[in-house]
Amino acid sequence: MAARCTCTVFLTVLALFSALVVTFYGAGSGVTCPAVSLALVTGLLSLWLWSLRRRDGGFDRRVCVLVLGDIGRSPRMQYHALSLSKHRYNVTFVGFLVNVLNYIPPLLIRLCFVVLSVGPKILTYVTKVIIQSLQLLLVLLRMEIQSHILMQNPPGLPSIAVAWLVSVLRGSRFVIDWHNYGYTIMALSHGQRHPVVRLAKWYEHFFGPLASHNLCVTNAMKDDLQKNWGIKATTLYDRPAAIFRETPLKLQHELFMRLSDAHPQFRSEGSEEVKVEKTVFSVRDLTDDTVTLRAGRPALLLSSTSWTEDEDFSILLKALEEYEGFVKGGASLPSLVCVITGKGPQKEHYRKLIDSLQLEHVKICTPWLEAEDYPVLLGSADLGVCLHKSSSGLDLPMKVVDMFGCCLPVCAVHFNCLHELVKHEENGLIFRGSQELAEQLKSLLSDFPSSEGRLGEFRRNLRTSRGQRWDDNWDQNVLPLITTP
């Protein structure tokens, strides 16, 4: 009822405003003001009635999950879709279809096609926003009426305004899941004072409070939304999906063998033995199919990234150079294989830096993993590294959540609310620069491969302090928002 009242008010105001505009411009055309106003109001009311005409008995069980970006790089929204499906909701997933994770079941996916433009930057940006707005509006209005539209922000320009408009027109509830603030991400490359950044900030502040419900990723963001935006949000911490767990030795070996085909860092050096299959980490006895880890294996260091401005990988590279110096200086430390997964705009820049390094005891590779291989590699690693620095200081890195799901200790770079996830000296360590990270690597790996040192202690802490998985967390915090009238 409230949604219909809001819709009526919205259309009435829009009709009166539009009528005034048309009357002003049509004053000399011979068309009377009442005729113009009546035609316009009739048209707008027809649009409203058309948008409501397909509401049926299945309305309450339909939810649209919206990401104006690559669905494959939005795991949290995929988990939303999975949870809704498990509760027998019919989910329409709207977004760019570039990399969809293979463990997502078949869902109805409507594509918003990527807009490619040329010309001055400001012109291409405005053109992109306008065309994406029209595309998204068309997609949302053509689908069956949804009881809820659940949208990720960022990116929120223009999706917040379009999703809100469609929600008003069709009587749907509009839910924003705040992962961060879009304008703070834009400020990384343009600066806080750039007109586009200031416009994006105003846009989020104006349209954000119009949502029916709001979710966010940290308590720090919840407090900030309440204090500075007037938005009451529910904190839904990221939790690992069930696929993120410690990997059995046999699966580890199979993955290492596949990776060794393309990446020599995984290959075993030395003579081949007929009845043994080896990688640099593992050995498989072909006579009885048993797999063991090699006693003198290197430590497997893992980081994942989107190669964007909010992650400074020069910190890790400098730390690895210092670690190399420790080994050459006589420290009793294992060799390292550092795997950095992911792809993004700055990958080639860092690839060139990596190729320029002269390292003997540290090997670095940057593979792009298949979706099903990523959790297997996480569950096989010895230590994770996270270089994510929140642009707002209010969100948490999903990659660390997944690492903890695999009981993988983490070294993470400091930012304001990181303590909500990484507990220093309990499940990992927090560093502020490359030298501190190098010292942490030296300390944690000094007893490798023994499980009796600090690294083993952190892993045991993760095993015994596992919190809720995603499903229970979602059922507790989101399901009530969806089911409440």
Side-chain angles (χ1 to χ4, degrees), residues 18 30 89 96 100 156 167 169 189 226 246 252 256 258 291 305 327 396 411 414:
S18 302
Y89 284 89
F96 300 129
V100 176
S167 296
L169 287 173
S189 54
Q226 179 67 61
E246 294 183 82
Q252 289 187 34
F256 295 154
R258 290 198 300 273
V291 175
T305 179
V327 179
L396 294 172
C411 292
H414 174 270

Side-chain angles (χ1 to χ4, degrees), residues 159-438:
S159 51
I160 297 180
V162 175
W164 168 77
L165 174 61
V166 171
S167 296
V168 169
L169 287 173
R170 313 194 81 179
S172 304
R173 290 183 179 271
F174 180 34
V175 184
I176 299 178
D177 190 0
W178 296 84
H179 297 193
N180 202 344
Y181 300 150
Y183 77 90
T184 65
I185 296 175
M186 296 176 68
L188 291 175
S189 54
H190 298 295
Q192 292 282 356
R193 304 297 298 173
H194 194 282
V196 172
V197 176
R198 296 169 69 179
L199 176 62
K201 183 177 181 180
W202 171 86
Y203 170 87
E204 283 184 293
H205 270 273
F206 181 82
F207 284 101
L210 300 179
S212 306
H213 301 292
N214 292 272
L215 303 170
C216 62
V217 294
T218 64
N219 283 329
M221 181 174 284
K222 174 183 178 180
D223 294 341
D224 187 76
L225 284 169
Q226 179 67 61
K227 179 180 178 181
N228 297 317
W229 300 59
I231 293 174
K232 184 178 180 181
T234 299
T235 300
L236 179 71
Y237 281 117
D238 284 319
R239 297 289 188 232
I243 59 169
F244 290 98
R245 58 187 183 273
E246 294 183 82
T247 303
L249 281 179
K250 187 175 181 179
L251 291 180
Q252 289 187 34
H253 179 75
E254 291 172 356
L255 177 61
F256 295 154
M257 288 297 298
R258 290 198 300 273
L259 290 173
S260 67
D261 292 336
H263 304 283
Q265 295 87 348
F266 287 85
R267 295 175 194 159
S268 174
E269 298 178 354
S271 59
E272 295 292 330
E273 299 180 36
V274 177
K275 296 183 179 181
V276 173
E277 185 179 70
K278 292 182 180 180
T279 71
V280 71
F281 300 104
S282 56
V283 177
R284 177 188 175 195
D285 189 331
L286 298 179
T287 59
D288 59 8
D289 204 34
T290 58
V291 175
T292 56
L293 292 175
R294 301 178 69 165
R297 69 185 182 276
L300 178 54
L301 190 68
L302 180 65
S303 187
S304 61
T305 179
S306 299
W307 300 106
T308 51
E309 290 92 345
D310 61 352
E311 293 181 295
D312 182 4
F313 266 81
S314 66
I315 295 175
L316 176 58
L317 299 184
K318 290 176 183 177
L320 293 177
E321 286 185 290
E322 292 191 44
Y323 185 90
E324 173 84 7
F326 295 150
V327 179
K328 287 184 175 180
S332 179
L333 294 168
S335 297
L336 283 181
V337 173
C338 178
V339 179
I340 307 172
T341 70
K343 60 182 179 180
Q346 293 191 327
K347 183 171 183 176
E348 286 306 311
H349 165 72
Y350 283 108
R351 283 279 297 271
K352 292 177 181 178
L353 292 180
I354 291 169
D355 291 341
S356 69
L357 298 177
Q358 302 295 322
L359 302 176
E360 179 182 349
H361 301 281
V362 177
K363 297 180 180 180
I364 305 172
C365 63
T366 57
W368 170 249
L369 297 175
E370 295 296 330
E372 64 271 19
D373 286 340
Y374 177 63
V376 177
L377 185 60
L378 279 189
S380 306
D382 298 301
L383 179 62
V385 174
C386 176
L387 293 160
H388 171 85
K389 294 188 74 171
S390 170
S391 60
S392 64
L394 299 172
D395 71 309
L396 294 172
M398 184 73 183
K399 68 192 74 177
V400 174
V401 175
D402 295 337
M403 289 175 182
F404 284 172
C406 297
C407 297
L408 179 64
V410 172
C411 292
V413 68
H414 174 270
F415 62 89
N416 287 342
C417 68
L418 184 63
H419 64 276
E420 293 190 37
L421 179 61
V422 180
K423 311 299 182 184
H424 189 67
E425 294 286 0
E426 182 179 327
N427 54 21
L429 298 174
I430 298 173
F431 61 89
R432 295 176 182 269
S434 58
Q435 185 174 357
E436 189 175 8
L437 174 58

Side-chain angles (χ1 to χ4, degrees), residues 34-47:
V36 172
S37 300
L38 180 60
L40 191 55
V41 170
T42 301
L44 288 169
L45 289 177
S46 298
L47 175 63

Side-chain angles (χ1 to χ4, degrees), residues 101-177:
L101 296 184
N102 294 339
Y103 56 86
I104 293 296
L107 299 171
L108 180 59
I109 299 176
R110 308 287 181 108
L111 300 181
C112 295
F113 296 101
V114 179
V115 179
L116 299 176
S117 304
V118 294
K121 285 186 177 181
I122 186 65
L123 180 60
T124 59
Y125 187 76
V126 171
T127 302
K128 180 179 179 180
V129 169
I130 292 173
I131 295 179
Q132 284 188 337
S133 298
L134 295 175
Q135 288 180 339
L136 185 56
L137 184 63
L138 181 62
V139 167
L140 294 179
L141 286 178
R142 289 183 65 182
M143 70 174 60
E144 292 181 295
I145 298 176
Q146 311 290 305
S147 65
H148 292 76
I149 297 178
L150 173 57
M151 194 206 84
Q152 170 185 313
N153 182 63
L157 184 65
S159 51
I160 297 180
V162 175
W164 168 77
L165 174 61
V166 171
S167 296
V168 169
L169 287 173
R170 313 194 81 179
S172 304
R173 290 183 179 271
F174 180 34
V175 184
I176 299 178
D177 190 0

